Amino acid sequence: IATETIGKVEVLKGAGSALYGSAAMNGVINILSIYAKKEPYLKIRSFFTIYNNPSDTLKKWWDRVPYSNGFSAVYAKKFNKLDAVGSVFFSREDGYRQYCFNDYHRATLNLDYHITESLTFGIHTNYNKGTSLNYFYWKNSGEGAYKGDQSAYAGQDKNVLYFDPFISYLSKNGTKHLLQTRYYSVSNLVSGDKSNKAYSYYSEYQYQKNFFKHSWVITAGIVNTLSKTNAELY
């Protein structure tokens, strides 16, 4: 989730959440991104964290101060009929665990094109990449408390990508047609023959109709999902 683009969060309980899809019958947490407006919107953030030395000096293995830092930027603007929201995020952690690190990058782009006031199509996309080295268990509880056992280290190279094309039509009599699709790909390259890759295709057509001045709403649709996973571990 691109937290830097979040505009607001809605929590819906009960069957009313079915408006957001067939898999949301019991409730949904709806995370909405910021909206593009005529005036450009730009927000830049950065952070930097340092870690203190442990009170037990025996556990301190480093010569320089462990740290983590990061940066994010989000931009939104309406270009005539096109709404554009984009963001980037980066973080790096060289922490207090020996040899361990976490590098993380993320980029998002949401494009909505309003052909008319009733007809809209667009594509929302997100790409995540992360590389890391961590250990599963420590060397010992003394001077090795923040050092991993030699056989416990594992490196990971993660890539996550999704595309969400959609088209929406709202008629004057209150009828809504929505076709939304998704292509999702994840690749986790892990040392020790533990890698896995997965692909997922999703499509949903949704129909909504208002009756009696919006006092009654009928929602119907059809969903298709296809997933494929290849995991060396299994």
Side-chain angles (χ1 to χ4, degrees):
I1 300 173
T3 55
E4 61 274 9
T5 66
I6 292 177
K8 62 179 180 179
V9 178
E10 299 175 338
V11 179
L12 304 178
K13 300 179 180 180
S17 61
L19 297 174
Y20 292 92
S22 60
M25 293 298 291
N26 295 322
V28 65
I29 299 175
N30 191 21
I31 300 175
L32 303 174
S33 67
I34 60 175
Y35 294 100
K37 301 178 181 179
K38 291 183 179 180
E39 294 296 324
Y41 172 88
L42 175 64
K43 190 170 188 177
I44 298 175
R45 291 179 175 177
S46 64
F47 65 87
F48 184 81
T49 303
I50 59 174
Y51 300 95
N52 292 334
N53 293 330
S55 56
D56 183 356
T57 57
L58 182 67
K59 298 177 181 179
K60 179 179 176 293
W61 58 265
W62 54 84
D63 296 323
R64 60 174 179 80
V65 177
Y67 73 95
S68 64
N69 66 302
F71 166 87
S72 71
V74 56
Y75 180 79
K77 191 179 187 310
K78 181 184 288 289
F79 301 92
N80 295 325
K81 295 183 177 182
L82 178 66
D83 298 347
V85 178
S87 70
V88 292
F89 177 88
F90 162 79
S91 68
R92 166 78 182 188
E93 180 181 9
D94 285 312
Y96 51 85
R97 294 173 299 170
Q98 191 177 44
Y99 305 130
C100 296
F101 69 89
N102 284 284
D103 275 339
Y104 184 70
H105 305 76
R106 177 173 65 232
T108 63
L109 181 62
N110 298 340
L111 299 174
D112 297 351
Y113 188 80
H114 305 277
I115 301 176
T116 65
E117 292 184 358
S118 302
L119 182 61
T120 302
F121 76 92
I123 182 170
H124 298 173
T125 182
N126 178 283
Y127 174 70
N128 294 258
K129 180 175 177 60
T131 56
S132 63
L133 179 66
N134 292 288
Y135 58 80
F136 184 65
Y137 55 89
W138 59 12
K139 184 175 291 186
N140 56 60
S141 61
E143 56 85 23
Y146 299 130
K147 300 177 182 179
D149 187 86
Q150 185 176 3
S151 61
Y153 282 92
Q156 182 181 33
D157 187 351
K158 176 179 64 176
N159 291 272
V160 179
L161 171 69
Y162 72 72
F163 288 96
D164 285 356
F166 73 92
I167 184 168
S168 174
Y169 176 73
L170 180 62
S171 66
K172 293 182 179 179
N173 63 2
T175 301
K176 182 180 180 180
H177 301 270
L178 174 64
L179 176 63
Q180 50 190 359
T181 61
R182 165 169 286 190
Y183 168 75
Y184 179 87
S185 170
V186 58
S187 171
N188 288 303
L189 303 180
V190 184
S191 58
D193 298 326
K194 300 175 183 177
S195 299
N196 61 82
K197 295 181 179 180
Y199 306 91
S200 179
Y201 302 90
Y202 176 88
S203 60
E204 177 175 355
Y205 166 73
Q206 190 177 109
Y207 171 87
Q208 293 180 21
K209 174 68 175 177
N210 293 295
F211 296 92
F212 309 114
K213 297 181 179 181
H214 301 279
S215 60
W216 285 81
V217 179
I218 290 180
T219 303
I222 185 170
V223 175
N224 177 69
T225 303
L226 173 64
S227 298
K228 180 180 180 181
T229 303
N230 182 15
E232 294 181 51
L233 183 62
Y234 305 111

